[in-house]
Amino acid sequence: MTRYIRHAACFCALLLVALLVNAIRVQVFQARAHDTNPANRRENIARYGRERGDILVDGRPVTGSRDTGEQLRYERTYRDGPLYAPVTGFASQEYGTTLLEHTEDPVLSGSDPMLTPFPLWNDFTRRRNPGGDVVTTLNGAAQQAAFRGLAGRKGAVAALEPATGRVLALVSSPSYDPGVLSGNSPGVGRSWAWLNANPDKPMLNRAVRQTYPPGSTFKVVTAAAALDAGVIRDVDAPTDSPAPYTLPGTTTSLSNESDGCEDLSLREAFRWSCNTVFAKLGVDVGVRDMTATARAFGFNDDALRIPFSVARSTFDPSVDRAQLALSSIGQYNTRATPLQMAMVSAAVADGGQIRTPYLVERTTTAGGSIVDTAGPRPVRQAMTPETAAVLKELMTQVVTEGTGTNAAIPGAIVGGKTGTAQHGIGNAGMPYAWFVAWAQGERDMQPKVAVAVVVEDASAVRGDITGGGVAAPIARAVMKAVLNAKE
């Protein structure tokens, strides 16, 4: 009898060992597979079972969490949602995350191991930390000035601090409220369908994800290439530039918006934005040097992130001479994001240097302890300091006595460049109004802000769409907000 009891006990012990082995297999070796299984709701229940960390502007949260009392307990909320949507993106229980809500999700959701001093212990206990906070570089007043200036018109604004690369404003219009996508009610699905079907594309981040022909604002790059290549040695000397200018190898004539551009010096051609002078300058510089200069400014870069990805701005290196002429005045295949053109303006303001732009100043734990900081940013020389000094002078004259007078700020030094970019088949599309600029307060040792504005408002009268008339006042408001200048 004792033998049978011993056999039964051994069998039970084997079953217990088998259960333990299977539990270890499931809970240790297959844990990740089960965690990522779409049928497993425990991760979502845990994820939304606690408040999400916040995104901060000027030290104040522009996001929050609302307790719904449901199984997926906390929903994301947004303060001034449309104002900050191009920065925050959305965090939706149904549709995932975008922009900062996506790139900083490990910190915001509490899953980043850097949020705890004992990450291995958390892995063992599967304990989730409280969500951390993301402190942005934004200037709230500049963000609001850009948003009010666009006033719902299609367009975008990007502003940078030239000496650091900090993103001070990033606005896209028309915008949307990310809060309508936060939960999982039927209304969320209806909002998602409406936003995606809206022809104005309110969820498109035009500041970093949309490229436009930059038009005459690209003449800053062309002027830099001509000066660095030695094609222009005296900005006051006449140029051999006919008006109209016949594109090389064609019978097509390029004209100007204003008269008197024939043989104008670089200074006067820049001031009055003469197409013929800059088209010929681009041809004289050549494809190789024009492409190299454009690349130095950031064009043709696929890797730019701020931390979310930025669309690639392009300058075509395979053009013929006629196409090069058009490319050199910001037409043909030349395209840029507003952020890229803000980088061009910032390079002029910072002695020819471009600082890689960034949007996150630091991340912290829920208690405020610093987890990570932006740190030093890579620097690239887009042009020589001497060329940058000349361009600063030329851009200043555009604002004091040229096409950009609407950007002038009393008591501050302001430089700018207007642009009106044609597009569409046969240039039949509504022109885009551009303005790029930088500003330096009277007590500042160096420029404090560089900005790019584009307005693509199809409801406007075509003749009214000019960079100086439409975009420059918006840039002025943004720069004033940063400088805190008075009328």
Side-chain angles (χ1 to χ4, degrees), residues 205-218:
N205 191 338
R206 289 173 164 85
V208 296
R209 298 278 172 85
Q210 178 69 37
T211 61
Y212 302 88
S216 292
T217 60
F218 190 79

Side-chain angles (χ1 to χ4, degrees), residues 224-303:
L227 289 164
D228 276 354
V231 172
I232 294 291
R233 299 185 183 278
D234 182 356
V235 296
D236 293 307
T239 57
D240 183 15
S241 307
Y245 172 58
T246 302
L247 299 180
T250 76
T251 57
T252 302
S253 292
L254 180 67
S255 59
N256 300 291
E257 292 294 326
S258 58
D259 296 328
C261 285
E262 184 174 359
D263 295 334
L264 272 190
S265 66
L266 178 64
R267 182 188 302 278
E268 292 301 307
F270 193 91
R271 176 181 166 192
W272 299 112
S273 200
C274 293
N275 288 335
T276 51
V277 174
F278 283 91
K280 185 175 183 298
L281 273 181
V283 174
D284 292 343
V285 170
V287 172
R288 186 185 65 181
D289 286 346
M290 278 297 301
T291 302
T293 300
R295 185 177 290 115
F297 274 98
F299 286 79
N300 299 337
D301 181 3
D302 294 309

